[in-house]
Amino acid sequence: MPDRFIGALPLQARLSELMSSDTTTIEFLDMTYQKTAKVLHVLFKSHLTLYLGIAQLLVKQGSSEFNLEITHLQNSLVSTVNARLIFSNKACIVAAHDQLIVIGEKTGDGYVRENLMQLDDPVIDVYNAEAALVVVKRGVIAVQVDGAKVVQDTSGRLLEMAVFFGDVECGNPFVFRLERGAELEQSCLKICEDIVASHSQNFSQMIDLKTQLAEKMHRLERIVYIISEQGLFETLSMEARFRLMTNGQKISSATKLWQYQNHIFGKTDSSDSMILSNAITLFAREKQPGIVVDEDSCVRSFFTFCIAEIGKLIKHIQRIEKKDKYAVCEANRAILIIIKTAMDYESNNLGMFKLFEEDDFAEGMESWLYNTDLIDRLIKQYDSTYTMINAPNRSNGLKDIEFDLDLEEEVDDTLKNQICDLADCLLRIESCLFKASGRTTVSKREMEKRGLEHQNLTSRVILPLVRIGRQEIAFTLSETYCDFQSLVDLCINEQDTKRKILKPDEQYICEGQRMHTYIKRFHRDFAFVLYKTLLERNLLRELIEQDEMCDPLLADFLNRTGGIVHEPRIAWIHDVKMGKFFDAAVNLWNLVEVESDLKTKKNALSIAKLSFIASAEVVKEIDGDEFFALINRTSEFISIQEAMFQRMTIESKHPEQIIHTRVPNLQTQFSGLYDHLVLKAMKRLVKGQWIGPEDILELVTLTAADPYDFVIAGEALEIAAETLKWPDEALRSVWRRAWIWDRWDEILQKAARSTDERTEDMLRETAVFGVITLSRKTGLTFFAHCTNFWGKGFQPVPIADCFSMDTPQILAAKYPDLTSEQTERVFKDLQKENVLLDGVLTLTRVAEAFQKMITME
């Protein structure tokens, strides 16, 4: 027998004596009968132990029914029999059914005087007996049990009796063993919910609601204590533990709410102070439609039987019409009592229920506190409170107008405090739901959408607090719920306010002590949101002029290693500030790669070259020749594009007009190339935007107005050769279009009637000769099986190798922005070019002309 069960009869040493007869009488001295009887353990021949005191032994006047628990020693079976507690002037007799063992009062010489009471004693109300027990104030006890009638009991019944009657402190300990499993979990939840709803037969109703609610909380804690004592509480599922805690929240909120309502009952009869009572009445009418409800009894009935639905009361509070600030103020009080008390209970008792902060709401759990419906209701209450705060004050007809104004100012201040509390509750619920959504399996897009909704809600709730003079609370809420965007907005707004009061000769730097504090405290979580916001608002000076302690974080942010943003247009300035010139050159090159404006790209290249030269010591350790060459090639290509702009926009700045002037029939002859390649490239050229090498070649060769345009195309091809994805096809296009552009049928006809000198002059004026000359100078040539065709010596491309080899699939890869229909149109135009080239190839003496141009200087 465990030592902690004080008052239990020690029987182990007398086991053989106790099994000597069917009816066992045990001497038990110093047994004091009190309001709650002690447990008496009695053994008898059938190896059963009778537990008295764990049943319903809250002693009343007269007699009361209770359950008698019997445990078999061999197999630990537990059964319950109905019994009756009977009092006499000298003995306390327990009778079950129609048998009773007569035990006499102990005499002075230690013997028992028998036949003190007989079965026909008028005091004894006897039924068919399974067991009988007599307890005298100071004397002996006896037991007789019919073992054939023993029935196994459930753990739930044992737990319930232990919760209500197995209190060691009251001298009534209970020895039993619970078994882990679903039955235990279901039983403890059922007992708890019966206690909350006052449905348990062992729970007595009390006129004092405060005491009754306290008793409910006590019995809930007894459930947790008893299961924890046997080391089984953590075997309950997290959902079961969460539900037990939820019931504790409801009891706690109901207790606090009743204190508030009780205060109202005793303070005033004004209808303005009866919002809670009216809301409870609405609740009762909705629960029992058609039944006439008495308002006074309705309130007490709610706190007795309906506190499990206390969350629904918020809806009914909001349904009550609120004509003025005072009514809104009272509604807020009731709503905040319900929610804040529940949250406080949760915070203070997570350990008791073996829960943790991250477990307060998990997927699949239903919570009366953590749900979107309550968020919507709190937003509605927040908005109505904010509206009422900004509403003009009015006199309520009081004679003392000055007093009335003071009272309204007090109410305004209360409303401002309440809206801060509403914001706190709302953000706690929303943060909990947001964390729970992160534990579910959702797509990245859905998570981003949920994150945006979360950010919008938190900002919507926090930022308006500044406008009602609660700026510090807004900061506190942003810190508590890690709403870094709101925290950044608050900091910047605070700095803007300070800037407005600065004198004209004072400098403004967007970096205050508060920002320093947050960067130190939250590191990149806050800093990166701050930097991103400064970028979005184009506060670039404020971004660059961060304190030196922020330099590593800012460099991390600007150089993308933080994974948030890559801003080379700012990063290079910060690099120069830190003396990292080589990093500045790299970031400037990154800017060149993403910048579309030609002038900006050109300036970035110039500064990149200067930064590269300034980083001479770093270059000694890093091979920068290739990087430097890349800068130079890009600068040359920009110069080519600027030359094209000068040549093509002399007479017009309209893309369509420029193309029509240079090649009048291009739109009709090659509509696909015109619509999807040439016109787009020309528009970018006119706007001063960067055009890639492939687009430059298409634009120049298709809109060539004279042979020199093909020389420009060849130069661009030579400069951009290493960056082209399809260099061989680009080279074919230059040669093919040069052959097509020259009118060889006319040239050959004139050559047949001209002198050698005149023929040679005509050949020099052709586009093909210009390309040949450039090829001889740069080594621009073509090798069918080698994509690296540079530096191989002069070898002009034969006409037969100039046909387009592009297929729709290759074109789709080249121009991914085009639809399949658009790609097909471009392909058909290229096939037209092949047809035109084939016509040139079939001309008589064209091969001779080609060989002649190769030999010409």
Side-chain angles (χ1 to χ4, degrees):
M1 190 69 61
D3 293 337
R4 63 187 176 84
F5 291 104
I6 57 174
L9 184 63
L11 301 174
Q12 303 299 328
R14 305 175 58 192
L15 184 60
S16 59
E17 178 186 346
L18 295 172
M19 295 185 177
S20 61
S21 63
D22 291 337
T23 301
T24 301
T25 300
I26 305 170
E27 183 177 353
F28 189 70
L29 299 177
D30 299 325
M31 177 64 188
T32 303
Y33 181 79
Q34 299 176 347
K35 284 292 183 181
T36 304
K38 293 187 176 183
V39 176
L40 305 180
H41 296 260
V42 183
L43 279 76
F44 43 88
K45 191 173 183 179
S46 58
H47 297 268
L48 297 175
T49 301
L50 179 65
Y51 290 77
L52 172 63
I54 59 178
Q56 191 174 352
L57 291 181
L58 297 175
V59 179
K60 301 179 181 178
Q61 294 298 324
S63 62
S64 62
E65 291 188 354
F66 71 104
N67 288 323
L68 201 57
E69 291 297 320
I70 305 170
T71 303
H72 198 287
L73 292 179
Q74 290 180 334
N75 55 23
S76 299
L77 293 178
V78 181
S79 66
T80 304
V81 294
N82 293 323
R84 193 170 182 82
L85 181 65
I86 304 170
F87 298 94
S88 70
N89 57 349
K90 290 189 176 182
C92 175
I93 303 171
V94 177
H97 303 295
D98 60 356
Q99 295 183 21
L100 177 67
I101 301 173
V102 179
I103 303 298
E105 183 178 14
K106 182 179 179 182
T107 60
D109 56 4
Y111 291 93
V112 176
R113 186 178 5 165
E114 299 182 357
N115 299 324
L116 179 65
M117 293 183 182
Q118 299 294 337
L119 292 178
D120 58 354
D121 193 303
V123 178
I124 303 174
D125 187 6
V126 182
Y127 302 90
N128 293 323
E130 276 182 297
L133 173 65
V134 175
V135 180
V136 294
K137 292 184 179 179
R138 185 179 180 84
V140 297
I141 59 174
V143 148
Q144 183 176 1
V145 174
D146 182 356
K149 295 184 178 181
V150 173
V151 181
Q152 185 175 4
D153 200 358
T154 63
S155 296
R157 181 61 182 151
L158 290 174
L159 177 60
E160 183 174 11
M161 287 189 295
V163 168
F164 285 99
F165 310 112
D167 197 335
V168 176
E169 294 179 358
C170 295
N172 188 27
F174 180 34
V175 183
F176 71 104
R177 189 67 191 169
L178 295 172
E179 298 294 333
R180 69 172 66 196
E183 180 185 349
L184 175 61
E185 186 168 300
Q186 294 168 5
S187 298
C188 72
L189 290 174
K190 177 67 165 57
I191 295 169
C192 179
E193 287 162 5
D194 285 346
I195 290 171
V196 172
S198 299
H199 290 163
S200 175
Q201 62 180 356
N202 298 309
F203 192 83
S204 301
Q205 303 301 320
M206 304 175 190
I207 193 169
D208 182 355
L209 282 177
K210 179 181 178 181
T211 304
Q212 179 173 269
L213 290 168
E215 181 67 13
K216 288 185 177 185
M217 183 64 77
H218 172 66
R219 295 305 168 188
L220 168 63
E221 292 172 352
R222 285 284 299 157
I223 294 174
V224 178
Y225 172 78
I226 291 170
I227 299 176
S228 298
E229 277 290 287
Q230 300 203 18
L232 296 176
F233 194 76
E234 290 189 77
T235 67
L236 301 179
S237 67
M238 190 171 73
E239 182 177 2
R241 286 178 273 137
F242 186 80
R243 284 176 60 184
L244 287 172
M245 186 191 70
T246 295
N247 284 315
Q249 287 177 316
K250 292 176 179 178
I251 296 173
S252 181
S253 292
T255 302
K256 196 78 172 179
L257 195 63
W258 168 247
Q259 291 175 1
Y260 172 63
Q261 182 62 36
N262 194 44
H263 172 74
I264 292 176
F265 279 158
K267 184 178 180 181
T268 178
D269 293 329
S270 171
S271 60
D272 287 342
S273 299
M274 299 301 289
I275 285 182
L276 180 57
S277 299
N278 295 338
I280 292 174
T281 303
L282 285 177
F283 170 84
R285 288 172 179 168
E286 184 181 87
K287 196 171 182 66
Q288 296 179 315
I291 298 178
V292 178
V293 178
D294 177 67
E295 186 170 320
D296 293 334
S297 62
C298 181
V299 173
R300 301 189 68 86
S301 178
F302 174 84
F303 285 101
T304 301
F305 301 106
C306 301
I307 62 173
E309 299 180 87
I310 194 169
K312 296 181 180 179
L313 206 56
I314 296 174
K315 173 181 69 175
H316 297 289
I317 292 173
Q318 291 184 324
R319 287 174 58 189
I320 304 297
E321 183 181 3
K322 304 165 194 67
K323 299 179 180 179
D324 52 33
K325 295 183 177 183
Y326 305 96
V328 174
C329 191
E330 189 195 351
N332 286 340
R333 282 197 188 99
I335 292 173
L336 287 170
I337 285 173
I338 294 172
I339 297 175
K340 289 189 68 177
T341 305
M343 289 180 172
D344 290 342
Y345 180 87
E346 175 186 331
S347 299
N348 296 331
N349 293 281
L350 282 175
M352 182 174 74
F353 293 98
K354 305 296 187 227
L355 294 170
F356 303 95
E357 289 289 344
E358 60 270 21
D359 295 331
D360 53 1
F361 183 79
E363 182 184 7
M365 292 187 187
E366 293 183 2
S367 172
W368 71 282
L369 195 60
Y370 299 104
N371 58 74
T372 55
D373 180 67
L374 184 55
I375 285 182
D376 293 339
R377 296 199 177 282
L378 286 177
I379 290 174
K380 179 181 178 181
Q381 197 66 26
Y382 178 98
D383 291 342
S384 63
T385 304
Y386 189 79
T387 300
M388 198 59 71
I389 289 172
N390 292 302
N393 289 329
R394 63 177 181 81
S395 172
N396 286 313
L398 298 178
K399 294 181 179 179
D400 190 346
I401 299 299
E402 195 171 309
F403 171 78
D404 182 50
L405 292 175
D406 290 341
L407 181 61
E408 288 193 334
E409 287 180 4
E410 181 181 342
V411 172
D412 280 343
D413 192 61
T414 301
L415 285 172
K416 291 176 181 179
N417 292 335
Q418 287 177 339
I419 200 173
C420 292
D421 288 337
L422 287 169
D424 189 13
C425 294
L426 204 160
L427 291 174
R428 178 167 174 175
I429 297 171
E430 165 61 19
S431 296
C432 186
L433 291 176
F434 182 64
K435 285 190 293 184
S437 67
R439 293 193 291 267
T440 60
T441 304
V442 295
S443 66
K444 182 179 179 181
R445 183 175 181 181
E446 290 174 338
M447 198 60 208
E448 289 176 352
K449 179 182 177 182
R450 181 68 181 92
L452 182 60
E453 292 173 351
H454 174 73
Q455 180 58 61
N456 290 339
L457 177 60
T458 53
S459 298
R460 180 189 187 283
V461 170
I462 291 175
L463 297 181
L465 300 181
V466 177
R467 295 193 286 272
I468 61 171
R470 295 297 188 267
Q471 180 173 341
E472 290 305 316
I473 294 179
F475 274 108
T476 301
L477 291 175
S478 299
E479 296 171 24
T480 302
Y481 297 104
C482 295
D483 180 10
F484 299 116
Q485 186 59 62
S486 293
L487 205 55
V488 166
D489 291 339
L490 290 169
C491 288
I492 294 177
N493 291 341
E494 183 182 54
Q495 294 293 333
D496 287 344
T497 302
K498 292 180 179 180
R499 177 166 50 182
K500 291 177 182 178
I501 62 175
L502 290 176
K503 296 178 181 179
D505 58 340
E506 291 180 321
Q507 282 191 335
Y508 166 71
I509 299 177
C510 184
E511 177 53 45
Q513 184 59 41
R514 199 189 292 269
M515 286 187 181
H516 276 148
T517 301
Y518 289 142
I519 291 175
K520 289 179 181 178
R521 179 177 173 184
F522 298 114
H523 303 290
R524 66 193 298 157
D525 291 337
F526 173 80
F528 278 22
V529 177
L530 171 64
Y531 301 154
K532 184 173 183 291
T533 303
L534 292 174
L535 275 175
E536 290 172 348
R537 299 186 184 183
N538 206 34
L539 300 172
L540 304 183
R541 176 183 173 184
E542 288 82 350
L543 178 64
I544 295 300
E545 291 181 346
Q546 295 288 306
D547 191 88
E548 288 184 0
M549 78 162 195
C550 302
D551 282 344
L553 275 175
L554 184 55
D556 190 18
F557 171 81
L558 294 172
N559 290 296
R560 203 193 311 198
T561 53
I564 305 296
V565 68
H566 182 212
E567 278 296 336
R569 64 193 177 109
I570 304 300
W572 75 268
I573 302 176
H574 186 255
D575 291 333
V576 170
K577 174 189 173 184
M578 297 176 66
K580 298 181 178 180
F581 299 111
F582 184 78
D583 291 342
V586 173
N587 272 313
L588 283 161
W589 174 253
N590 292 333
L591 175 61
V592 169
E593 287 187 313
V594 299
E595 183 59 55
S596 60
D597 183 76
L598 197 62
K599 289 183 178 180
T600 303
K601 190 183 287 282
K602 183 178 180 180
N603 292 336
L605 275 171
S606 300
I607 303 174
K609 185 180 292 187
L610 291 174
S611 299
F612 186 81
I613 295 171
S615 64
E617 293 185 1
V618 179
V619 175
K620 292 179 182 178
E621 302 175 3
I622 301 175
D623 184 8
D625 292 343
E626 184 177 347
F627 180 58
F628 198 73
L630 183 61
I631 293 177
N632 286 333
R633 284 199 303 270
T634 307
S635 297
E636 292 173 4
F637 198 84
I638 289 177
S639 297
I640 289 176
Q641 185 171 332
E642 289 177 333
M644 287 175 52
F645 178 82
Q646 294 297 329
R647 285 174 59 82
M648 293 185 175
T649 59
I650 294 175
E651 297 181 0
S652 175
K653 295 294 191 297
H654 299 288
E656 294 85 349
Q657 183 63 38
I658 294 171
I659 298 172
H660 181 74
T661 300
R662 294 174 68 83
V663 188
N665 64 341
L666 179 63
Q667 186 174 8
T668 55
Q669 188 176 12
F670 301 108
S671 60
L673 290 169
Y674 175 88
D675 291 338
H676 307 307
L677 299 182
V678 177
L679 185 58
K680 290 181 179 180
M682 184 63 76
K683 287 180 178 180
R684 293 200 298 273
L685 179 71
V686 171
K687 291 179 180 179
Q689 294 178 344
W690 166 261
I691 303 175
E694 287 89 350
D695 292 335
I696 283 285
L697 293 174
E698 297 291 345
L699 179 63
V700 175
T701 56
L702 286 170
T703 63
D706 57 52
Y708 184 68
D709 286 329
F710 287 95
V711 175
I712 294 176
E715 290 175 348
L717 181 59
E718 191 273 333
I719 293 171
E722 295 183 9
T723 64
L724 294 174
K725 293 183 178 180
W726 292 272
D728 289 353
E729 190 58 38
L731 184 61
R732 288 192 190 96
S733 296
V734 174
W735 281 94
R736 179 177 65 255
R737 287 167 184 163
W739 282 107
I740 294 172
W741 190 87
D742 292 324
R743 300 181 179 278
W744 285 101
D745 53 347
E746 297 179 5
I747 293 173
L748 293 175
Q749 288 179 6
K750 291 180 180 179
R753 302 189 298 271
S754 301
T755 64
D756 292 343
E757 292 77 15
R758 176 57 185 156
T759 299
E760 189 171 316
D761 290 340
M762 286 190 294
L763 292 177
R764 289 182 187 279
E765 294 174 357
T766 62
V768 174
F769 182 76
V771 176
I772 290 174
T773 303
L774 183 65
S775 298
R776 182 182 295 112
K777 184 185 303 183
T778 62
L780 187 65
T781 188
F782 170 76
F783 294 88
H785 303 292
C786 182
T787 57
N788 182 14
F789 49 80
W790 313 109
K792 300 294 183 179
F794 174 58
Q795 184 178 343
V797 180
I799 301 178
D801 291 331
C802 295
F803 289 94
S804 172
M805 304 296 290
D806 282 337
T807 64
Q809 291 74 23
I810 295 176
L811 291 173
K814 277 186 179 181
Y815 310 108
D817 294 338
L818 299 183
T819 65
S820 57
E821 181 181 353
Q822 293 169 343
T823 302
E824 186 64 29
R825 290 182 62 195
V826 172
F827 173 71
K828 289 181 178 179
D829 283 352
L830 294 176
Q831 294 303 303
K832 290 180 182 178
E833 287 187 344
N834 285 345
V835 171
L836 293 174
L837 182 62
D838 187 63
V840 174
L841 186 61
T842 59
L843 290 174
T844 305
R845 300 184 64 189
V846 72
E848 296 176 10
F850 182 50
Q851 291 300 321
K852 175 64 176 175
M853 288 185 289
I854 292 174
T855 61
M856 290 169 53
E857 294 294 335

